[in-house]
Amino acid sequence: MEKIAIIGGGVSGSYLAYLLSNSGYDVTLFDIKEKYFKPCGDVVPNIYKPKFEWKIKYYIKNFAFYLDGERIYDVSYRNPKWIVIDKPGWINSMREKVNQVISTKADKSKFDLVIDAKGPYDMDRQVVYTTRALIETNEFNDEAILEFNTKFTGFFWIFPDEEGVLNVGAGFIENKNSKDLLLNYIKNKFKDYKILDLRGAPISIGSVKSKSLKIGEARGLVFPMSGEGIRPSAISAEIAYEAITRGKNFDEYLSYNLTKIERRIEIQRRLLDVYMKSSINARKFLLKTFLRNDVLIDAFLEDKLDFEGILESVRGIKYGSIVR
């Protein structure tokens, strides 16, 4: 039986460690902390379920998009488009079931396979620095709000977290001080609120130098336009599990089975590059055109901005997925 080390106890590392341990493999999970917590929006498109069930805190059907303070588009779906999950609870419940070592280094001589799942923390790619706050407010709204500012590449978000609590965040490529931006945004957006928790973290948006023996965000599996990395990271863990349990070449198997996701991530990177090189007026035109298009918004919300994904959105809208 192979001895396997997984470095990094986030989404992909903890999930893979749980899957392998549950199948009888000798697995050790290495992480700098005993408990997991990395702040994010905690939303996942409602098109995926992991093999280890997570708690769903909220179902999101309603969305609104703002540009430079102006509400320019809103949409409601008949069925939940996004779900809000208890990400820390899900990950920590898996970590409780595996052998853990509080460290970020594994002695490779003691293991047959060492897998890198430690997220963006090698800093070998472009990242965006995000901050998110959980706020308690009587101005609670069940809409997911994304607010864009043409001066920067990124957005503010307001997501329902649970009844009476909102997840409010900010992340912009050109401005690393997302904390100050977020606090000013909250102050201007809400009259009555209480900050329950405030934390920041880097999120990958650029490609990594090497993908060898890497899964999840360590591999660069974050959609750069939306910042969503939970689902692709979880999927990469499932594929890594298949590679190991079926005796496949790890890197080749992951590369082949992640082709669609990695292609969609690369498309988003190219779109971001075009946007960043554009003038303020051109950015405003591009965003207004994009955000007022039912099909493109639908594809964006599920991170499927390629030809196949756009066709799926066309079919879904045609058959009445949107409430008018």
Side-chain angles (χ1 to χ4, degrees):
M1 182 67 68
E2 285 185 307
K3 291 189 68 177
I4 300 169
I6 301 171
I7 305 175
V11 171
S12 61
S14 297
Y15 190 23
L16 177 58
Y18 165 77
L19 291 173
L20 290 170
S21 295
N22 201 44
S23 295
Y25 282 79
D26 184 353
V27 182
T28 303
L29 180 66
F30 292 79
D31 196 89
I32 195 170
K33 293 182 179 180
E34 184 178 357
K35 296 289 185 180
Y36 171 86
F37 197 95
K38 180 185 176 184
C40 69
D42 291 345
V43 296
V44 183
N46 190 26
I47 53 175
Y48 167 77
K49 291 182 179 180
K51 299 178 186 300
F52 184 83
E53 189 174 358
W54 49 37
K55 176 186 175 183
I56 297 175
K57 299 170 68 178
Y58 212 91
Y59 292 91
I60 302 178
K61 295 183 179 181
N62 305 312
F63 297 83
F65 298 85
Y66 289 74
L67 178 59
D68 296 334
E70 176 190 1
R71 184 179 178 115
I72 64 169
Y73 181 87
D74 52 70
V75 62
S76 296
Y77 288 88
R78 296 189 184 281
N79 299 307
K81 195 70 168 176
W82 282 358
I83 54 174
V84 179
I85 67 167
D86 179 6
K87 179 186 170 190
W90 179 61
I91 291 173
N92 286 323
S93 62
M94 291 188 290
R95 287 177 62 162
E96 290 171 358
K97 302 177 189 302
V98 304
N99 180 40
Q100 290 191 76
V101 172
I102 309 304
S103 173
T104 57
K105 295 182 180 179
D107 184 348
K108 293 185 179 181
S109 66
K110 296 182 179 180
F111 296 93
D112 300 302
L113 182 65
V114 178
I115 297 169
D116 183 350
K118 60 180 178 290
Y121 297 105
D122 283 342
M123 303 306 261
D124 58 344
R125 79 293 302 273
Q126 185 180 19
V127 300
V128 59
Y129 292 91
T130 65
T131 305
R132 79 95 182 91
L134 295 178
I135 68 168
E136 188 176 60
T137 177
N138 57 14
E139 300 172 59
F140 179 83
N141 192 313
D142 68 355
E143 283 184 327
I145 294 173
L146 288 87
E147 185 158 346
F148 297 84
N149 184 319
T150 49
K151 292 180 181 179
F152 304 118
T153 309
F155 55 83
F156 295 102
W157 72 77
I158 304 174
F159 300 153
D161 187 71
E162 54 186 332
E163 203 65 38
V165 177
L166 296 172
N167 181 319
V168 189
F172 296 95
I173 294 174
E174 297 90 345
N175 193 322
K176 293 183 179 181
N177 194 357
S178 56
K179 179 180 178 181
D180 284 353
L181 287 173
L182 176 61
L183 291 175
N184 287 330
Y185 179 75
I186 292 172
K187 184 178 179 180
N188 292 327
K189 203 78 175 177
F190 299 94
K191 295 178 181 178
D192 179 27
Y193 65 90
K194 176 184 178 183
I195 294 178
L196 304 176
D197 189 77
L198 180 69
R199 304 180 192 231
I203 294 178
S204 302
I205 57 169
S207 58
V208 302
K209 293 179 180 179
S210 171
K211 297 179 181 179
S212 181
L213 296 176
K214 292 183 178 181
I215 60 174
E217 193 173 354
R219 190 183 176 90
L221 294 178
V222 176
F223 290 101
M225 286 177 64
S226 66
E228 205 282 288
I230 298 173
R231 177 173 53 109
S233 288
I235 290 171
S236 75
E238 293 174 353
I239 293 171
Y241 170 76
E242 291 176 1
I244 293 167
T245 56
R246 296 177 183 181
K248 303 292 185 180
N249 179 286
F250 189 88
D251 287 328
E252 289 180 2
Y253 195 81
L254 259 72
S255 180
Y256 177 78
N257 286 282
L258 286 169
T259 297
K260 181 188 288 188
I261 289 175
E262 294 190 325
R263 182 184 70 240
R264 288 177 170 177
I265 288 172
E266 183 57 32
I267 287 171
Q268 290 198 13
R269 288 194 185 119
R270 292 179 183 180
L271 290 172
L272 273 184
D273 188 53
V274 170
Y275 179 82
M276 290 180 67
K277 292 177 180 177
S278 301
S279 67
I280 295 297
N281 287 337
R283 287 182 176 193
K284 189 178 287 286
F285 173 78
L286 288 169
L287 278 171
K288 279 189 173 181
T289 301
F290 183 91
L291 296 174
R292 287 173 171 166
N293 186 296
D294 286 343
V295 172
L296 293 180
I297 285 295
D298 187 81
F300 167 74
L301 293 175
E302 291 186 3
D303 288 305
K304 54 184 185 184
L305 286 169
D306 61 359
F307 183 72
E308 179 186 345
I310 288 171
L311 281 180
E312 288 177 9
S313 293
V314 169
R315 288 193 290 267
I317 291 169
K318 179 181 178 181
Y319 292 109
S321 65
I322 291 178
V323 178
R324 291 298 188 196

